[in-house]
Amino acid sequence: MNYHSKSADELRATQEDLRKLYDALCAAGLTLDLTRGKPAPEQLDLSNELLSLPGAEFRAADGTDTRNYGGLRGLPELREIFGEIFAVDPANLIAYGNASLEIMHHLTTFGLLRGTVDSSQPWSSGPVKFLCPVPGYDRHFAITEQYGIEMVPVPMNPDGPDVDACAALTAADPSIKGMWAVPTYSNPTGVTFSAEVTEGLLSMPAADDFRIYWDNAYAVHTLVDEAPTPLPVIEMAAAAGNPNRVYVLGSTSKITFAGAGVSFFGSSKANVDWFVENIGFATIGPDKVNQLRHARFFGDAAGVRAHMARHRDILAPKFTTVLGILEDRLAESKVASWSEPEGGYFINLDVPDGAASRTIALAKDAGIALTPAGSTFPYKNDPHDRNIRLAPTFPSIDDLQVAMDGVATCVLLAATETLLSAHGS
Ligand code: PMP
């Protein structure tokens, strides 16, 4: 029954039943974790062939000895494959280290200390702000918070960030220098940006040195038959008269090995040259052996997509399990809503206002770890205290069933508390 139409007495009776379920849950002594979007061991196993590549064939197609220093832009054969995946001209795509987050961190510190190709001064010579579509990715927000960049939340719609809201802010405030964006199967909402929204973000009025961090971490991570076609954002930005606005980022962290993959950076020629010039002070070259084995392992972009279909076989049943439990346990009560993503790594759960931290605390006491309340917002501040990010990829289906059933009990119990306090009892 819809909890909102229950009387206070009915809510109290429901709460008593839920308490019993909750006490039984606590007595079960669980230790389950739904916090981080990590690949499961069976997903990592899909790439085990990498462990014996490249073997003695350590020369790249152009004869480069991958064991030696050099090659700051990364191996051409791997850039060719991922250029197609990210819709970036391989000439303007760099294959770098093992973490795209590291590139985002570099881009931010370079901007702060040295400015960009369009800055007359370093960003840090004045106030610096970044637009942050919410809910969003906590590690993005952590980078900007770490460097004292003011984060300005902007609403996320079903087709991407609210462009009018973004444009009103960037047009009025030249200290807005950046924007976080996850264009495909966004973390945590699962939203994919439409072509119109993308066009709007690339063409809206903003400071010359305003940059969109186009973090396409989930470009090929589909749970349905086909991933969305990536948009050629670098060309689109150029056509909109803002050729240097967009930094494209991505990696194979959730394609091959999360800790031993390859990251990518694509942008205009000017931005890429600038990035290479700056990273030249940090490294003499990336791990080309790793890049070569990735190129051999995939062969081509179709090889990447075929590999992702094998991930999908493992992940789709997990997402179905979680969504099924949410539907069975929560739909009738009308106290929660959730995303039904077609890809990516997360399910986004919204509980009644004021009930997220209580739900998470109840789950924690029952041995179920959920991402801390507020994590999906800048400064960990969810103004409505209602958003919970669920990460179903790592646990086994059996563990997911137990954990999600427990989470549902916690959501319902917290909801009865919130509703009863609204009743004044
Ligand atoms: N961007 C997003 C949106 C992510 O969700 C993640 C992983 N959780 C990353 C980046 C991390 O990528 P990498 O391993 O390449 O640093």
Side-chain angles (χ1 to χ4, degrees):
M1 179 181 173
N2 182 342
Y3 280 18
H4 299 281
S5 31
K6 284 187 192 234
S7 66
D9 281 346
E10 285 170 327
L11 277 172
R12 267 189 290 273
T14 303
Q15 191 177 66
E16 227 163 88
D17 293 342
L18 287 165
R19 259 279 154 209
K20 285 182 201 135
L21 279 181
Y22 181 69
D23 290 344
L25 186 70
C26 291
L30 304 174
T31 41
L32 298 168
D33 191 335
L34 289 175
T35 57
R36 296 240 63 104
K38 288 202 298 192
E42 315 84 75
Q43 289 179 269
L44 301 172
D45 287 346
L46 296 174
S47 302
N48 276 350
E49 195 188 329
L50 278 176
L51 298 173
S52 47
L53 286 170
E57 304 291 319
F58 51 77
R59 281 187 196 279
D62 63 0
T64 299
D65 184 340
T66 57
R67 302 168 305 173
N68 219 329
Y69 272 145
L72 265 180
R73 287 172 195 256
L75 280 193
E77 52 260 62
L78 190 66
R79 290 158 52 200
E80 196 72 40
I81 296 172
F82 280 86
E84 187 178 328
I85 297 293
F86 296 121
V88 174
D89 177 351
N92 292 331
L93 185 74
I94 289 176
Y96 190 63
N98 77 325
S100 60
L101 265 179
E102 186 190 342
I103 305 177
M104 297 179 230
H105 180 273
H106 278 327
L107 290 166
T108 308
T109 54
F110 295 163
L112 285 168
L113 293 172
R114 296 175 55 83
T116 67
V117 296
D118 295 302
S119 306
S120 54
Q121 300 182 66
W123 286 349
S124 59
S125 60
V128 189
K129 300 176 190 163
F130 266 48
L131 298 184
C132 302
V134 290
Y137 177 36
D138 54 347
R139 291 187 193 272
H140 284 164
F141 301 155
I143 291 177
T144 24
E145 184 169 4
Q146 166 75 355
Y147 293 105
I149 294 173
E150 186 183 330
M151 290 181 274
V152 182
V154 287
M156 189 74 162
N157 292 329
D159 58 353
D162 181 332
V163 179
D164 292 342
C166 295
L169 287 160
T170 52
D173 187 351
S175 66
I176 298 176
K177 301 299 189 193
M179 173 171 183
W180 293 115
V182 184
T184 315
Y185 305 134
S186 215
N187 175 353
T189 54
V191 163
T192 296
F193 297 9
S194 69
E196 294 70 34
V197 164
T198 302
E199 195 83 57
L201 295 173
L202 297 174
S203 59
M204 66 193 182
D208 287 344
D209 54 355
F210 169 70
R211 297 290 181 265
I212 302 177
Y213 289 52
W214 197 258
D215 179 3
N216 215 346
Y218 300 104
V220 285
H221 302 59
T222 185
L223 295 166
V224 295
D225 283 341
E226 278 191 34
T229 309
L231 295 167
V233 282
I234 296 166
E235 286 150 41
M236 290 166 71
N242 299 309
N244 301 325
R245 178 169 291 188
V246 66
Y247 291 154
V248 175
L249 298 140
S251 75
T252 69
S253 291
K254 289 164 182 182
I255 298 176
T256 56
F257 295 148
V262 182
S263 60
F264 298 91
F265 170 65
S267 198
S268 63
K269 182 178 180 322
N271 281 347
V272 170
D273 290 349
W274 165 88
F275 182 72
V276 170
E277 183 197 318
N278 280 290
I279 52 163
F281 293 95
T283 174
I284 306 171
D287 179 349
K288 296 180 298 301
V289 176
N290 192 28
Q291 297 187 0
L292 181 62
R293 63 184 184 152
H294 274 79
R296 296 253 168 84
F297 178 63
F298 293 125
D300 53 21
V304 178
R305 294 195 192 94
H307 184 71
M308 293 316 292
R310 293 188 273 277
H311 280 280
R312 176 187 162 192
D313 291 343
I314 296 170
L315 290 182
K318 294 189 177 184
F319 278 76
T320 307
T321 300
V322 172
L323 292 171
I325 293 171
L326 289 171
E327 182 68 30
D328 288 349
R329 295 283 322 276
L330 300 183
E332 213 185 23
S333 67
K334 304 270 187 259
V335 294
S337 59
W338 52 90
S339 61
E340 295 184 15
E342 295 194 343
Y345 260 53
F346 303 100
I347 291 171
N348 191 49
L349 175 66
D350 280 321
V351 297
D353 283 12
S357 36
R358 177 68 177 144
T359 301
I360 291 164
L362 285 167
K364 183 171 180 232
D365 290 345
I368 304 167
L370 294 174
T371 312
S375 295
T376 52
F377 286 76
Y379 310 107
K380 302 199 187 312
N381 175 24
D382 173 357
H384 300 285
D385 186 23
R386 69 172 172 221
N387 190 251
I388 300 176
R389 184 183 82 169
L390 300 172
T393 57
F394 189 80
S396 67
I397 294 216
D398 287 348
D399 281 354
L400 269 180
Q401 264 160 348
V402 177
M404 277 313 301
D405 197 54
V407 169
T409 299
C410 297
V411 170
L412 292 172
L413 187 53
T416 57
E417 292 173 5
T418 312
L419 291 171
L420 274 170
S421 71
H423 273 274
S425 43

